[in-house]
Amino acid sequence: MSTPDTRETAGPGVETSAITAAALALGDDALVLSHRLGEWAGSAPVLEEEVALANIALDLLGQARILLSLVGDEDELAYLREERSFRNAQLVEQPNGDFAHTIARQLYFSTYQHLLYGQLAAGDGPFAGLAAKAVKEVAYHQDHAEHWTLRLGDGTPESHDRMQRACDTLWRYTGELFQPVDGLDLDHTAMESAWLDSVTAVLTKATLTVPTGPRTGAWAAGAGRQGLHTESFGRMLAEMQHLHRSHPGATW
Amino acid sequence: MVTMTALEEELSRIAGAVPDPELPVLTLEELGVMRGVHVTGPGRVEVTLTPTYTGCPAIEAMSSDIEHALHEHGVPDVSVVTVLAPAWSTDDISEEGRRKLAEFGIAPPRPQGPAGGPVPLTLAIRCPHCGSTDTELLSRFSSTACKALRRCTACREPFDHFKEL
């Protein structure tokens, strides 16, 4: 994509009220992770996992469609925004890597998303209806990720090493998940400590070492919510948006 | 509970009798996704529908099938609205729906009871082919988001289980 993006706002025709900003952040998380999981179609280690990852991707795509529709036209938002206009956390855009990386990303994200939707469902804000529905679906995503973490971590020396490497590599992207998002009235501190407890319990049971690197601060990654993304995200978007940009207005 | 007029009850029966596009043994009424039918004007009807899963692609086919069925019945102006709350649960599947699922070879979801109630018992999932309760989980996700893949350890047949939501 060669067109320079000079827009400071979230995209074409987007209102930047607090609620739409929050919908964009959560919707972009769901959309981007959905696309990443979809990349496994045709190349997952076993057929059952191909189906599982596609099902999880479909749940996330459903959430993304509802959230982005609160902001504007879902297709325009998904296919016509430039990289800097996306508000997803950097964790979800990380490449699939080997299967262990995908599972570590799923473990970190689904644990966070389950806590997030749990809090939103308990409130009466604009996302309560979606959250009450999605929290039940995400419980299955989290269960799936936890079982695979146990299986790989407490598996062969090779699977253990790969799972450990994946957990270490992605650790630095997890702090960003608990930075306040405009328009979301959440107890981020409670969410972060519940997340740490949950992930620590799973990793320990899986005979893995809880990573010790920074999750926030100067050495941590994160600024996706401000529109700053990591290198591989541009390539992912190029593939995701290619068809729509090449054939504007095309339909089935 | 809002009282329905005789016309709304009739239209509700017609819309509710539309088969699920992915599980055609079930009607939308039995699946529990119909939330209401309201006559909003002469020849104008609004149907409220709730998706099973947030990303369920069948919702679009359900909407157009309902529109088609009501058009056939002489209602010119049909709009189908989707609502998310209260969230659909597998407890919304009727008894008759559960029976039909089992007959079709899909183990029906176990009842969950009201949210926040006592911890539910973990009942065994019965093989829809031979009836054995000795079954194992192969994958939490199967041919659609709403099903898990299991295998019967007695007759060795794999089968889908409509998982609890």
Side-chain angles (χ1 to χ4, degrees):
Chain A
M1 283 176 283
S2 56
T3 322
D5 183 30
T6 52
R7 282 189 299 268
E8 290 297 319
T9 56
V14 173
E15 288 177 48
T16 46
S17 74
I19 287 168
T20 53
L24 203 58
L26 304 187
D28 283 349
D29 278 355
L31 174 67
V32 171
L33 186 55
S34 170
H35 188 82
R36 279 294 188 209
L37 292 172
E39 290 173 356
W40 276 108
S43 60
V46 288
L47 182 62
E48 286 80 1
E49 275 316 294
E50 188 149 318
V51 171
L53 296 173
N55 269 311
I56 294 170
L58 188 62
D59 286 345
L60 290 166
L61 191 62
Q63 297 167 19
R65 293 187 63 182
I66 289 164
L67 288 161
L68 294 182
S69 294
L70 296 172
V71 183
D73 180 86
E74 53 177 336
D75 283 345
E76 275 188 25
L77 287 164
Y79 295 128
L80 296 176
R81 271 183 301 160
E82 301 286 342
E83 183 184 334
R84 286 273 178 131
S85 302
F86 277 80
R87 291 292 179 266
N88 56 282
Q90 290 180 351
L91 174 67
V92 295
E93 75 202 29
Q94 295 311 305
N96 286 338
D98 60 10
F99 189 64
H101 277 77
T102 291
I103 292 303
R105 194 182 58 199
Q106 280 306 107
L107 176 72
Y108 291 165
F109 186 76
S110 63
T111 305
Y112 150 77
Q113 208 187 26
H114 192 252
L115 292 164
L116 169 84
Y117 283 149
Q119 274 206 26
L120 290 174
D124 55 1
F127 306 115
L130 168 66
K133 185 158 188 59
V135 72
K136 300 196 289 176
E137 299 164 6
V138 175
Y140 279 103
H141 305 178
Q142 190 179 352
D143 186 51
H144 170 262
E146 289 182 359
H147 276 84
W148 270 109
T149 303
L150 296 178
R151 216 168 140 182
L152 295 175
D154 198 10
T156 65
E158 174 73 14
S159 74
H160 176 91
D161 289 351
R162 286 189 182 222
M163 196 62 215
Q164 185 66 58
R165 209 176 311 142
C167 289
D168 292 346
T169 306
L170 294 171
W171 189 248
R172 72 182 60 198
Y173 298 102
T174 57
E176 189 188 5
L177 300 173
F178 305 100
Q179 286 168 11
V181 174
D182 273 354
L184 291 184
D185 185 20
L186 297 169
D187 185 346
H188 286 91
T189 319
M191 223 160 73
E192 184 158 20
S193 77
W195 183 90
L196 271 173
D197 287 350
S198 175
V199 167
T200 300
V202 176
L203 295 185
T204 308
K205 198 173 167 196
T207 72
L208 295 161
T209 308
V210 179
T212 51
R215 297 178 49 249
T216 52
W219 295 100
R225 298 274 189 242
Q226 287 77 48
L228 297 178
H229 296 283
T230 51
E231 192 185 341
S232 58
F233 186 52
R235 289 195 292 276
M236 192 208 97
L237 275 189
E239 187 176 294
M240 187 175 99
Q241 298 183 334
H242 168 76
L243 191 73
H244 195 87
R245 286 185 186 271
S246 306
H247 304 277
T251 54
W252 291 101
Chain B
M1 189 74 195
V2 184
T3 26
M4 283 180 139
T5 63
L7 176 62
E8 283 173 338
E9 273 177 26
E10 185 192 341
L11 297 176
S12 183
R13 261 196 309 278
I14 291 159
V18 167
D20 177 277
E22 287 185 7
L23 292 166
V25 286
L26 289 191
T27 66
L28 298 185
E29 182 63 40
E30 288 160 349
L31 187 62
V33 294
M34 292 277 301
R35 284 286 163 81
V37 173
H38 303 286
V39 175
T40 52
R44 245 188 22 234
V45 173
E46 185 183 278
V47 180
T48 24
L49 198 64
T50 195
T52 53
Y53 277 70
T54 317
C56 184
I59 195 89
E60 283 165 24
M62 288 179 188
S63 300
S64 66
D65 289 352
I66 289 174
E67 282 172 23
H68 186 72
L70 293 180
H71 285 160
E72 292 263 286
H73 196 69
V75 184
D77 189 354
V78 181
S79 64
V80 181
V81 183
T82 35
V83 291
L84 294 176
W88 179 84
S89 151
T90 40
D91 284 352
D92 296 338
I93 301 176
S94 70
E95 275 308 312
E96 177 65 2
R98 283 161 201 273
R99 193 191 61 74
K100 285 184 177 175
L101 279 175
E103 202 177 82
F104 190 59
I106 298 171
R110 294 163 294 180
Q112 301 191 95
V119 178
L121 289 173
T122 307
L123 301 170
I125 297 160
R126 197 175 283 279
C127 169
H129 305 298
C130 75
S132 167
T133 52
D134 206 1
T135 65
E136 62 185 1
L137 181 69
L138 290 180
S139 177
R140 278 158 195 79
F141 299 89
S142 185
S143 54
T144 63
C146 55
K147 288 180 254 137
L149 186 63
R150 298 185 72 88
R151 176 168 51 204
C152 176
T153 41
C155 72
R156 309 301 297 166
E157 283 290 324
F159 65 91
D160 270 337
H161 166 225
F162 206 120
K163 67 193 180 206
E164 294 76 24
L165 189 76

